[in-house]
Amino acid sequence: MEKEYLISIGITTYDRLKFLKILVGELIIQKQDNYEILIGNDFVEKKLTYEDLGINKASNIKIFNHSKNLGEYENLKFLFQNSSGDYFTWQFDDDCYSQNFLKFVRRSIINLRPDCIFCNYSFIY
């Protein structure tokens, strides 16, 4: 059975809205389709909304406001278990993306059909 999305991006967060908004913004401006964003909010004191992120509700962006703090491992596991992409990546709320990340990953997947992809990174100061 073919999955609904090619790439699932699971983002864990805990009370770092400023960074999360930047990360989600970097993802939604990429001119790619066929990906989903799953956000696991462990900050139970405040529910996260699309308005908090400055975006409109979209079918490929799902926010999970946990009723209790799952902790990092369980939150990561939850996001993976609730993903629907053929490929999956985890991100933390203070990570960032190149503006062409999804384009290059999608191209690699389509051309090579790898079992996994290692994405190199560099530091931004």
Side-chain angles (χ1 to χ4, degrees):
M1 181 176 104
E2 188 168 319
K3 299 272 189 154
E4 184 176 354
Y5 295 102
L6 182 64
I7 303 167
S8 294
I9 303 165
I11 303 170
T12 60
T13 191
Y14 183 91
D15 195 25
R16 293 198 290 196
L17 182 59
K18 175 183 170 186
F19 296 114
L20 180 62
K21 284 174 74 170
I22 293 168
L23 172 60
V24 171
E26 289 171 344
L27 288 168
I28 63 174
I29 63 167
Q30 298 196 29
K31 303 292 185 225
Q32 297 298 311
D33 56 359
N34 206 12
Y35 72 94
E36 70 176 343
I37 300 170
L38 307 149
I39 302 169
N41 180 24
D42 256 349
F43 188 52
V44 296
E45 290 82 7
K46 177 163 184 344
K47 290 189 179 223
L48 184 64
T49 67
Y50 295 95
E51 292 79 26
D52 292 333
L53 297 173
I55 61 172
N56 295 321
K57 186 173 182 178
S59 61
N60 70 324
I61 302 173
K62 299 174 184 94
I63 299 172
F64 299 97
N65 287 297
H66 302 304
S67 58
K68 67 175 189 166
N69 185 327
L70 300 181
E72 183 179 22
Y73 175 75
E74 291 298 324
N75 197 359
L76 290 166
K77 190 168 87 172
F78 175 89
L79 293 172
F80 180 73
Q81 291 171 336
N82 285 277
S83 67
S84 61
D86 289 323
Y87 291 83
F88 183 89
T89 185
W90 282 298
Q91 298 300 169
F92 296 99
D93 55 9
D94 62 346
D95 290 339
C96 58
Y97 273 100
S98 158
Q99 63 184 346
N100 294 312
F101 174 78
L102 290 174
K103 178 175 79 173
F104 292 130
V105 169
R106 185 173 188 270
R107 184 184 306 155
S108 296
I109 290 170
I110 290 170
N111 292 338
L112 304 171
R113 282 291 176 195
D115 292 330
C116 68
I117 297 172
F118 173 75
C119 300
N120 199 357
Y121 60 91
S122 63
F123 290 98
I124 301 173
Y125 295 99

